[in-house]
Amino acid sequence: MIYLGADHRGFELKEKFKRWLGELGYKHEDMGAFEYNRDDDYPDFAKAVAEKVASEASAKGILICGSGIGVAIAANKIKGMRAGTAANAEQVRASVNDEDLNVLALSADYTSEEQAKEITKTFLETKFSGVERHVRRVNKIKELEK
């Protein structure tokens, strides 16, 4: 399952992603915003997505705000989250492969729709390598959550 969330700055791109993910056959759930509201707050949607991803082992999340940074910071406050931004497909491939990235944070203001789709498709298709050094490092990250 893929959980989607966006504030007002990412709302339009999230709505497009819902259609696009459906066309690709991905099962997804919208965690808000459910309507455009220029006064909404990105931490609310980051929390909703992160809690869902944390509760399901194979779930992934996609969060969108203006910079992508705010939603990543907020999501990473939830235990079990490894949220990050990516500027290109190679970076997100490395992040999933090495750090087991489970929430992708996208910038609506600094990423084109096509770039965001390419980054997202790579995020969804890439698997964690499971290589011992990467497992060790992810476990050290988990230790920081205690």
Side-chain angles (χ1 to χ4, degrees), residues 114-133:
E114 288 310 309
Q115 288 171 315
K117 283 181 175 181
E118 180 184 10
I119 292 166
T120 300
K121 191 168 189 294
T122 302
F123 169 69
L124 296 173
E125 292 174 350
T126 305
K127 304 291 182 223
F128 178 55
S129 70
V131 172
E132 185 278 328
R133 72 180 182 275

Side-chain angles (χ1 to χ4, degrees), residues 77-91:
K77 300 298 181 186
I78 305 300
K79 187 175 182 175
M81 289 305 92
R82 290 174 305 282
T85 60
N88 56 54
E90 293 79 23
Q91 185 181 21

